[in-house]
Amino acid sequence: MRESGQPKLVVANASKSYDTGSGVVHALADFSMDVQPGELACLLGPSGCGKSTLLWAMAGLHGLSSGEVRLDGRPVIEPNPQIAMVFQEANLLPWRNLIKNIELPFEIRHQKPDRARIDALLEEVGLAGFETKMPRELSGGMQQRASIVRALSVDPSLLLMDEPFGALDAFTRDEMNLLIQQIWLETKKTIVFITHNINEAVFLADRIFVMSARPGRLSRVFEIDLPRPRPLDAMTTPHFIELVAEIKGSIDHKSQTQAA
Amino acid sequence: MASVDRELKDKIPTFESTGAAEAGVGNWSSAASTLSLIKGGRDAMLIVITAIVIFGGLELTLRLFQVPVYIAPTPSQVITALITDFQYIGPHIGYTLIELLTGFAIGASIGFVLAALITQFPLVEKIVAPYILLLVTTPMLALVPLLILKFGFGFTPRIIAVALASGPMVMINAATGFRRTDLAKIALARSFGASTLQIFLKIRIPMAMPMVIVGLMIGSIFGLLTAVGAEMVGGSFGLGNRLTYYSSLIQMPQFFACILVLAMIGISIYVFFYWLGKKWAGWEA
Ligand SMILES: Nc1ncnc2c1ncn2[C@@H]1O[C@H](COP(=O)(O)OP(=O)(O)O)[C@@H](O)[C@H]1O
Ligand SMILES: [Mg+2]
């Protein structure tokens, strides 16, 4: 299914330990994966298995204890203009209105905001007309949409998303997943999407990278061959349910062997 | 499976950011409640009406019982004195304001900068904290006789006293603000390539702003108290000095006129910082 060019993103033997006061926490252990250009990859694993640790390393926000992350063949050791991140909970600055929040990356880079691009994105996510609203005046879903616009406004080639919809209710989450799929189909950006929700992962992903419980290792990779665009009711098809069950089984099996 | 999950969940501070963010919320609500005390533009009417009733009642009572002026002047006598003697009182208002504004500007700037610096180094902060507390809790008025001995009866000792009174107050509150480091927001700015300076200007300062404004308000009120107190200790000018002067001559209408002016300065400070808080820290409320 994947053409064998140069991968967009490579994680090679990544390990990371945190030195806490009360001992060393091994968050990631010898984790390797690669993501192809234009792929939508989901990282799936239980809370605390090291997903954020891995994503922050991909974003160049912190270093690894060993191993490396490469973007287009070059090591990522600091934040990179080609990479944008969407955080858990929208992470808007509450003292800035919506448009000022979206313009933050341009301000930081001393660039003129790309108005045409921003307006088109706002239109697409349904936030046109809300530019001067403060974050607290927006619903959780709207806030997260704004943070997606913020990330896309600088036209990154890699979008990292850390459980972006974990705090949203199920209906809003479905809506957001549709939106992500639509944006991805239009822009063909490479996306790494973290979640602990199997349904969400199966709905979105080209490939699902399942992580074991801490220390996070790659336990299995699943190719999701559901046709696109996937409508919400794809989630009720037997094939979808089968995939979810298979992935669930692999995770259960994994933690049982660990507990034993 | 379930038990493994729960155990994991308990140990996860859901990444570096969340714990700190929650701590920040705690600090924050204390700031918000302080600000909300002065909230209530809607209540202004009620306050005005109450004031009219109180001062009108006072006027009537004092007249009815023919209380002598040297015991308690009526409100109208006080206002009259303020107007007729304004040529004498006016310059002293200016002197007090000069002391207050200069001393506060110096103290607040130093306090703000020190708070910003010190909170970047937790160890330094721990070492310095007790001394700051000492400066906050010791009435700086106590130093005024010493300062007068050193600097004479001019503006200098008073300005120093005001700076010493307001600076630590600004610092201790601003430091609380700067300690509210929300790692998720800092990471956000970093992910777009922000420098340390940009993170400071665009994330840390706005996040600290509500507490900074609380500090400025308390600091300036403390500064006013200290200025007036210092003027009472020595020298021949300023509203504090006028209070001692008029009371020694038993000119009660003038004495109360000075108090009225001081009250108005205090209220103006309060209103100004309330307005500033709405403008710069309204997002918190
Ligand atoms: N800054 C840190 N210091 C110490 N331990 C940390 C830190 N960040 C994360 N951890 C620990 O590392 C493990 C993985 O964390 P994280 O990557 O946030 O997991 P996930 O995102 O999958 O929930 C957890 O056990 C967590 O407690
Ligand atoms: Mg996480």
Side-chain angles (χ1 to χ4, degrees), chain B residues 148-212:
Chain B
I148 287 178
L149 214 59
K150 199 124 181 90
F151 298 101
F153 288 99
F155 280 112
T156 316
R158 300 167 173 192
I159 289 175
I160 294 177
V162 171
L164 282 173
S166 53
M169 211 51 97
V170 173
M171 179 171 172
I172 208 163
N173 283 286
T176 308
F178 281 117
R179 242 177 269 125
R180 303 169 56 197
T181 44
D182 183 337
L183 282 181
K185 295 197 168 46
I186 290 169
L188 170 80
R190 279 280 298 142
S191 78
F192 290 120
S195 65
T196 310
L197 179 66
Q198 283 180 318
I199 287 173
F200 193 76
L201 294 176
K202 294 185 193 301
I203 309 288
R204 288 190 194 273
I205 288 192
M207 209 145 61
M209 205 35 85
M211 282 310 292
V212 169

Side-chain angles (χ1 to χ4, degrees), chain A residues 52 88 162-163:
Chain A
S52 295
Q88 208 168 340
D162 190 353
E163 298 191 36

Side-chain angles (χ1 to χ4, degrees), chain A:
Chain A
M1 179 178 167
R2 301 278 133 216
E3 56 275 47
S4 53
Q6 188 192 40
K8 178 75 188 167
L9 181 78
V10 174
V11 178
N13 309 103
S15 300
K16 186 170 176 75
S17 316
Y18 293 105
D19 214 343
T20 65
S22 50
V24 178
V25 178
H26 298 285
L28 264 187
D30 200 28
F31 187 101
S32 297
M33 70 183 280
D34 55 65
V35 183
Q36 300 305 316
E39 183 175 14
L40 206 171
C42 279
L43 272 169
L44 179 69
S47 283
C49 75
K51 301 184 295 296
S52 295
T53 301
L54 178 60
L55 204 74
W56 280 44
M58 289 178 181
L61 285 170
H62 64 193
L64 292 163
S65 307
S66 67
E68 70 171 353
V69 174
R70 288 193 296 274
L71 179 76
D72 295 321
R74 282 183 297 277
V76 176
I77 43 172
E78 57 181 10
N80 182 316
Q82 285 304 312
I83 305 174
M85 186 142 163
V86 172
F87 292 79
Q88 208 168 340
E89 326 228 308
N91 207 10
L92 298 178
L93 305 181
W95 54 86
R96 286 170 172 249
N97 67 20
L98 185 141
I99 194 73
K100 284 261 155 41
N101 261 291
I102 291 168
E103 288 173 356
L104 176 76
F106 296 93
E107 232 176 273
I108 288 173
R109 293 171 187 177
H110 303 290
Q111 292 167 354
K112 256 190 74 189
D114 187 341
R115 294 249 54 129
R117 193 179 165 78
I118 292 173
D119 288 346
L121 284 165
L122 285 174
E123 188 69 46
E124 167 149 36
V125 305
L127 279 178
F130 290 89
E131 286 84 350
T132 56
K133 290 265 184 280
M134 297 304 278
R136 64 161 186 276
E137 301 174 277
L138 304 172
S139 70
M142 290 166 104
Q143 292 188 24
Q144 199 50 279
R145 277 174 229 251
S147 86
I148 292 167
V149 172
R150 176 175 59 191
L152 291 172
S153 67
V154 291
D155 201 12
S157 60
L158 174 64
L159 186 62
L160 304 176
M161 309 185 81
D162 190 353
E163 298 191 36
F165 312 136
L168 303 180
D169 63 82
F171 298 106
T172 316
R173 178 187 279 245
D174 283 349
E175 240 172 70
M176 299 300 284
N177 286 336
L178 276 175
L179 180 67
I180 288 300
Q181 175 178 247
Q182 178 193 329
I183 287 174
W184 176 78
L185 284 171
E186 282 164 11
T187 62
K188 273 295 172 184
K189 290 196 183 305
T190 313
I191 298 181
V192 177
F193 188 105
I194 286 187
T195 180
H196 57 228
N197 183 314
I198 300 178
N199 278 306
E200 185 173 65
V202 174
F203 179 77
L204 284 175
D206 290 331
R207 278 191 297 166
I208 298 178
F209 296 80
V210 179
M211 288 174 80
S212 64
R214 204 181 57 184
R217 296 171 202 277
L218 182 58
S219 78
R220 287 206 39 193
V221 182
F222 292 88
E223 293 240 0
I224 307 300
D225 53 2
L226 297 167
R228 298 205 191 249
R230 300 173 187 162
L232 278 181
D233 53 22
M235 292 200 211
T236 54
T237 60
H239 187 37
F240 190 99
I241 293 164
E242 219 170 82
L243 282 166
V244 170
E246 190 186 349
I247 293 168
K248 206 176 173 67
S250 81
I251 294 172
D252 283 345
H253 173 71
K254 198 75 201 167
S255 46
Q256 270 158 23
T257 47
Q258 261 195 355

